[in-house]
Amino acid sequence: QNWTRGMSYCLHSGSHADTGPIYVRENGKLHLVTQAAGSIPNVAPKTRPFRLFSRGFSVELCMNREDDKARRQRTDHFIFTYTREGNLRYSAKSLFSLVLGYISDNVDHIDSLIGFPEQIAEKLFSAAEARQKFTEPVTGLRALQKFTEAYGSLVLCSLCLRDRYLVISDKLEEIKSFRELTCLDLSCCKLGDEHELLEHLTKEALSSVKRLLLKDTSLSDAGLRRMTAPVRVLKRGLENLLVLDLSCNPKITDGGIGYLLSFKTLNCLDITGTGLKDVDAVVKRLQMRIGLVRSQVPLKEFDHSNCKTEGWAEQTVLQWEQAVMEATKTQDNLRSSTAALRFYGKTHRIEEAVKCRPVEADTKTSGSLQFYKEKVQNCHFPLKKEVAGSHELRNHKKRALAEPEKERTSKQKHLCLTVEDWDLLNTY
């Protein structure tokens, strides 16, 4: 028979090591194969213990990655626990967790996640986040873009970067990769008018922003003009904005407020601490144009307590902040050493840059300038006199505002059709 020839060939090979008895099961019976003649006598199996390997033999399981230069042995595919007696016990992880860990280690090589189930994608994002894959300079950005392109607001729907200007400067491209944000807090970041992130606010990727907080960001009329240009002319950009905070920006004047009149859906506005000269005229203008009424009490929409970072990437933003904090700690240590050298006269004294503190609103002169839109109460059965009176009131307002309206429309035409405006729009 063929199997006896193969067996006899193995037995009569050059290996003379004692392998012990070899048994073969045939037709439900166990046969012993002898090394001398190759016969298969029907004998009962011996009772002495059989060892497949010698006593000193040991098996060591490891997992090596091709991109690992040190070829480190990995045992993260085991779960180690201890029994009550204190003995170490380990069990293998499930195949799903092993595959999930492997993909998260190579998440930057994924082509696309569009159409992938959200439940599995969230676990994959958490696994990559635990390995801090999104904090890496190049591969982290590439991996984060794959998730934001496929899942949008699930990755991050609200982002709070209040007083985190170092995170913005270090992770600007990662922040720009977030899509479909509904809330964005950039307060106390001193961005200025020419910052790239403020230009990114006018893109279609952030057209879903409904709550924008720009308190103490060193904005001026030029920054508001750039930020509202797509809305004023192209009817796109921040057209869905509901809450806007521009407080503590003293460079914003009465002319800059005119650019905000393009936000027709705006419900709450805070311009406390701005450089307004004629406050009463601005209040009337906001009320007549977009229906905003000045509030006598502080509004809860501007207390910054409701703005939080929410989404899958919440821990990722915290990891970015921790990395920045560690980098600043090293700089503080260098400063202490240079201070010691300066004390002993080994280095020249150099004036250090003073850290900017948030500008507090001066509410003594103009008071709080927070506006809200009143809810219109629908009357199902209006009286004829009230209707007639309302028509007369509307006609009177139209006649009273006829000349200012003509001047305003002419000015707005010139504002929208200037060469500078068209240069701005050509950049979008």
Side-chain angles (χ1 to χ4, degrees), residues 325-338:
M325 294 298 293
E326 291 178 358
T328 53
K329 285 182 180 178
T330 57
Q331 293 179 0
D332 293 338
N333 295 333
L334 293 175
R335 288 177 183 176
S336 62
S337 61
T338 54

Side-chain angles (χ1 to χ4, degrees), residues 106-173:
N106 303 276
V107 68
D108 55 304
H109 296 290
I110 297 176
D111 293 334
S112 178
L113 288 171
I114 298 176
F116 198 70
E118 298 175 358
Q119 295 81 1
I120 308 300
E122 184 178 2
K123 294 181 180 180
L124 179 60
F125 190 92
S126 300
E129 191 178 51
R131 289 166 169 80
Q132 296 187 355
K133 299 296 293 183
F134 302 114
T135 59
E136 299 176 0
V138 180
T139 59
L141 174 60
R142 190 185 306 120
L144 189 61
Q145 288 175 348
K146 300 301 180 182
F147 282 95
T148 54
E149 289 174 0
Y151 304 104
S153 60
L154 292 177
V155 178
L156 209 66
C157 62
S158 177
L159 179 59
C160 180
L161 296 174
R162 180 182 175 86
D163 202 13
R164 293 178 176 87
Y165 52 92
L166 293 179
V167 178
I168 295 176
S169 60
D170 188 38
K171 299 293 181 180
L172 179 60
E173 295 300 326

Side-chain angles (χ1 to χ4, degrees), residues 216-263:
D216 191 16
T217 51
S218 301
L219 276 178
S220 65
D221 296 342
L224 292 182
R225 180 171 171 270
R226 290 173 59 89
M227 193 171 62
T228 59
V231 182
R232 289 185 287 112
V233 182
L234 301 179
K235 303 301 179 182
R236 64 178 178 88
L238 297 173
E239 56 184 357
N240 298 318
L241 197 61
L242 298 178
V243 179
L244 179 61
D245 186 1
L246 295 174
S247 59
C248 301
N249 289 296
K251 295 182 180 180
I252 297 178
T253 62
D254 301 23
I257 301 299
Y259 297 120
L260 304 179
L261 301 178
S262 58
F263 296 135

Side-chain angles (χ1 to χ4, degrees), residues 302-322:
F302 302 108
D303 58 0
H304 297 271
S305 61
N306 297 327
C307 186
K308 299 177 182 179
T309 302
E310 297 178 356
W312 295 353
E314 180 179 356
Q315 296 297 323
T316 302
V317 178
L318 293 178
Q319 291 175 0
W320 294 346
E321 187 176 0
Q322 290 176 359

Side-chain angles (χ1 to χ4, degrees), residues 220-420:
S220 65
D221 296 342
L224 292 182
R225 180 171 171 270
R226 290 173 59 89
M227 193 171 62
T228 59
V231 182
R232 289 185 287 112
V233 182
L234 301 179
K235 303 301 179 182
R236 64 178 178 88
L238 297 173
E239 56 184 357
N240 298 318
L241 197 61
L242 298 178
V243 179
L244 179 61
D245 186 1
L246 295 174
S247 59
C248 301
N249 289 296
K251 295 182 180 180
I252 297 178
T253 62
D254 301 23
I257 301 299
Y259 297 120
L260 304 179
L261 301 178
S262 58
F263 296 135
K264 302 298 181 180
T265 61
L266 198 63
N267 290 335
C268 296
L269 175 65
D270 189 0
I271 53 176
T272 306
T274 54
L276 301 181
K277 296 181 179 179
D278 193 351
V279 177
D280 295 335
V282 171
V283 171
K284 292 181 180 179
R285 192 177 183 185
L286 291 174
Q287 184 175 2
M288 296 299 297
R289 293 294 307 278
I290 54 179
L292 292 179
V293 182
R294 184 175 182 179
S295 176
Q296 302 299 327
V297 295
L299 299 177
K300 63 180 181 179
E301 284 80 7
F302 302 108
D303 58 0
H304 297 271
S305 61
N306 297 327
C307 186
K308 299 177 182 179
T309 302
E310 297 178 356
W312 295 353
E314 180 179 356
Q315 296 297 323
T316 302
V317 178
L318 293 178
Q319 291 175 0
W320 294 346
E321 187 176 0
Q322 290 176 359
V324 170
M325 294 298 293
E326 291 178 358
T328 53
K329 285 182 180 178
T330 57
Q331 293 179 0
D332 293 338
N333 295 333
L334 293 175
R335 288 177 183 176
S336 62
S337 61
T338 54
L341 294 175
R342 186 184 303 156
F343 175 78
Y344 290 103
K346 295 183 179 181
T347 58
H348 298 285
R349 179 176 293 275
I350 300 175
E351 296 296 332
E352 296 180 355
V354 180
K355 294 182 179 180
C356 298
R357 295 182 179 180
V359 179
E360 298 295 334
D362 188 10
T363 59
K364 294 182 180 180
T365 56
S366 60
S368 178
L369 293 176
Q370 295 182 355
F371 299 84
Y372 69 98
K373 185 174 293 186
E374 293 181 337
K375 296 181 180 179
V376 180
Q377 296 180 356
N378 295 326
C379 185
H380 298 286
F381 301 100
L383 297 177
K384 295 182 179 180
K385 294 182 179 180
E386 294 178 355
V387 174
S390 63
H391 284 297
E392 292 177 359
L393 183 60
R394 291 176 182 175
N395 294 330
H396 178 70
K397 289 182 179 180
K398 288 181 180 180
R399 288 192 299 269
L401 296 175
E403 296 179 357
E405 189 71 19
K406 292 180 180 179
E407 295 178 358
R408 183 196 60 77
T409 53
S410 61
K411 289 181 180 180
Q412 188 175 8
K413 288 181 180 179
H414 290 294
L415 285 173
C416 296
L417 298 177
T418 55
V419 178
E420 296 178 355

Side-chain angles (χ1 to χ4, degrees), residues 15-135:
S15 178
H16 298 285
D18 185 11
T19 58
I22 300 177
Y23 298 93
V24 178
R25 183 177 296 275
E26 182 182 9
N27 297 328
K29 294 181 181 181
L30 196 63
H31 304 277
L32 175 63
V33 179
T34 59
Q35 297 182 4
S39 59
I40 308 177
N42 294 330
V43 295
K46 296 182 180 180
T47 58
R48 68 184 183 88
F50 169 71
R51 289 182 177 272
L52 184 60
F53 302 102
S54 61
R55 291 182 180 273
F57 185 83
S58 62
V59 179
E60 187 175 355
L61 298 178
C62 62
M63 183 182 298
N64 294 329
R65 293 190 302 174
E66 295 181 357
D67 58 346
D68 196 354
K69 297 180 180 179
R71 291 288 183 178
R72 295 178 301 174
Q73 297 176 354
R74 302 191 55 176
T75 57
D76 56 353
H77 51 288
F78 287 111
I79 301 175
F80 294 93
T81 56
Y82 286 93
T83 60
R84 294 181 179 179
E85 293 79 9
N87 298 325
L88 182 63
R89 182 177 61 184
Y90 62 91
S91 59
K93 291 184 179 180
S94 63
L95 181 60
F96 175 77
S97 60
L98 292 177
V99 174
L100 195 68
Y102 179 78
I103 298 176
S104 60
D105 287 334
N106 303 276
V107 68
D108 55 304
H109 296 290
I110 297 176
D111 293 334
S112 178
L113 288 171
I114 298 176
F116 198 70
E118 298 175 358
Q119 295 81 1
I120 308 300
E122 184 178 2
K123 294 181 180 180
L124 179 60
F125 190 92
S126 300
E129 191 178 51
R131 289 166 169 80
Q132 296 187 355
K133 299 296 293 183
F134 302 114
T135 59

